[in-house]
Amino acid sequence: MQEQVGELLTAILERNELRADDLISVWFTATPDLHSDFPAAAARALGITDVPLICAQELDITGAMERVVRVLAHVETDLSRAGIAHVYLGAAGALRKDIAQ
């Protein structure tokens, strides 16, 4: 979990030209089949230590994609909504083909 979530957070920051100092708070959700660690632990391992982080579990919906962690980051940025890069790695790109970059 730590490696994959770390990769996702790094991609979000890099693609949006953000730094950890730009983060206000971060919400993580994970599908019910993921229970080895808290996704927020990956953020702490990256040095994101002074930002509120929260983890929650996705609804257990029959047929939903498994092994998915989602990130909702509240950030300070001058980017417009259209300028934000929404990051979907691996198979998760199929979840939102309309905005996956």
Side-chain angles (χ1 to χ4, degrees):
M1 168 106 48
Q2 187 167 328
E3 180 181 331
Q4 297 297 316
V5 174
E7 180 183 349
L8 177 58
L9 285 171
T10 299
I12 290 168
L13 293 172
E14 288 177 356
R15 292 183 195 181
N16 289 288
E17 299 180 2
L18 298 169
R19 298 171 295 120
D21 288 345
D22 297 321
L23 296 172
I24 297 168
S25 62
V26 183
W27 284 73
F28 298 90
T29 63
T31 51
D33 56 315
L34 296 175
H35 43 78
S36 63
D37 201 358
F38 294 100
R44 299 288 184 227
L46 288 175
I48 301 171
T49 58
D50 61 348
V51 175
L53 307 173
I54 191 165
C55 298
Q57 188 176 75
E58 289 283 336
L59 295 173
D60 191 7
I61 304 297
T62 302
M65 185 179 287
E66 297 180 342
R67 302 181 55 82
V68 175
V69 172
R70 290 178 172 89
V71 178
L72 176 63
H74 303 97
V75 301
E76 291 187 51
T77 181
D78 291 328
L79 292 171
S80 68
R81 186 181 307 172
I84 298 290
H86 298 279
V87 179
Y88 291 79
L89 300 179
L95 294 171
R96 288 294 306 265
K97 292 180 183 176
D98 58 324
I99 62 173
Q101 298 178 4

